[in-house]
């Protein structure tokens, strides 16, 4: 298998023993209900999985199995996470945010935040809360980006937040 851990696809390489005459080299992807023959002289076959599954490989003389093995392919996630963003507080020089990221398969592995509408991001690890500080007065366009275990990402829509304005005192 070309990848361990979570991925959007995995390549399995079947390596058969040396070719012998009158033997058939086959694999099945449906639990042995149907078989695909690997044409001679090949002794390897690569299969790409985009969903979890099992491959069975066998060498047969048509009557008996000479050898057979199976391999389960797991941890394939092709669905991007969901992501939303909310402001939890704001001051004259800071804005605190909370990202809500969810992934039912491979989980969330990274959460990032942007204050410039997604031009650049800062990572918070997997912490869903982040505060931008040392901000100048004004309106900022925030985004969050969530990454799952397969590397798929979702970026939230823009959340515009203005820092609090401190009004000067007035005199009468």
């Amino acid at each position: 298998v070309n990848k361990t851990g979570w991925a959007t696809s995995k390549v399995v390489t079947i390596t058969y023993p040396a070719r012998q005459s009158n033997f058939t080299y086959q694999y099945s992807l449906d639990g042995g209900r149907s078989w695909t023959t690997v044409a001679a002289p090949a002794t390897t076959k690569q299969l790409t999985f985009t969903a979890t599954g099992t491959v069975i490989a066998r060498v047969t003389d048509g009557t008996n199995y000479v050898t057979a093995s199976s391999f389960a392919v797991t941890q394939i996630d092709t669905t991007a996470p969901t992501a939303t963003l909310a402001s939890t507080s704001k001051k004259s020089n800071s804005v605190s945010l909370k990202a809500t990221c969810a992934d039912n398969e491979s989980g969330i592995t990274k959460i990032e935040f942007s204050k410039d509408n997604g031009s650049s991001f800062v990572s918070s690890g997997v912490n869903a809360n982040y505060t931008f500080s040392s901000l100048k007065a004004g309106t900022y366009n925030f985004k969050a980006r969530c990454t799952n275990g397969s590397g798929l990402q979702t970026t939230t829509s823009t959340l515009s937040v203005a820092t609090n304005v401190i009004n000067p005192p007035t005199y009468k």
Side-chain angles (χ1 to χ4, degrees):
V1 179
N2 71 330
K3 294 178 183 162
T4 59
W6 286 97
T8 55
S9 67
K10 294 185 179 184
V11 176
V12 173
T13 302
I14 303 169
T15 303
Y16 292 97
R19 284 272 177 180
Q20 297 182 37
S21 61
N22 299 323
F23 284 17
T24 304
Y25 297 71
Q26 299 175 314
Y27 67 90
S28 174
L29 300 173
D30 61 6
R33 289 187 293 281
S34 63
W35 294 91
T36 301
T37 300
V38 178
T43 57
T44 62
K45 176 66 179 175
Q46 286 193 334
L47 304 170
T48 300
F49 283 77
T50 57
T52 58
T54 301
V55 59
I56 304 170
R58 73 179 182 184
V59 178
T60 179
D61 64 3
T63 304
N64 299 301
Y65 295 114
V66 175
T67 187
S69 67
S70 66
F71 184 79
V73 179
T74 61
Q75 293 185 314
I76 294 178
D77 182 358
T78 59
T79 305
T82 59
T84 59
L85 181 63
S87 172
T88 56
S89 70
K90 63 180 182 168
K91 296 181 181 178
S92 62
N93 66 346
S94 67
V95 174
S96 295
L97 304 168
K98 180 174 182 166
T100 302
C101 304
D103 187 277
N104 293 331
E105 294 178 87
S106 59
I108 300 299
T109 59
K110 183 168 53 171
I111 302 172
E112 300 166 288
F113 293 88
S114 172
K115 66 179 179 180
D116 56 13
N117 207 32
S119 294
S120 62
F121 284 88
V122 61
S123 177
S124 70
V126 291
N127 188 341
N129 298 296
Y130 190 83
T131 298
F132 283 98
S133 55
S134 300
L135 298 176
K136 294 180 181 181
T139 300
Y140 292 84
N141 294 316
F142 297 102
K143 288 188 176 191
R145 182 167 61 194
C146 304
T147 304
N148 72 9
S150 289
L152 298 171
Q153 297 180 328
T154 298
T155 302
T156 64
S157 56
T158 300
L159 174 66
S160 294
V161 179
T163 57
N164 288 344
V165 175
I166 300 175
N167 293 317
T170 58
Y171 302 94
K172 289 186 180 186

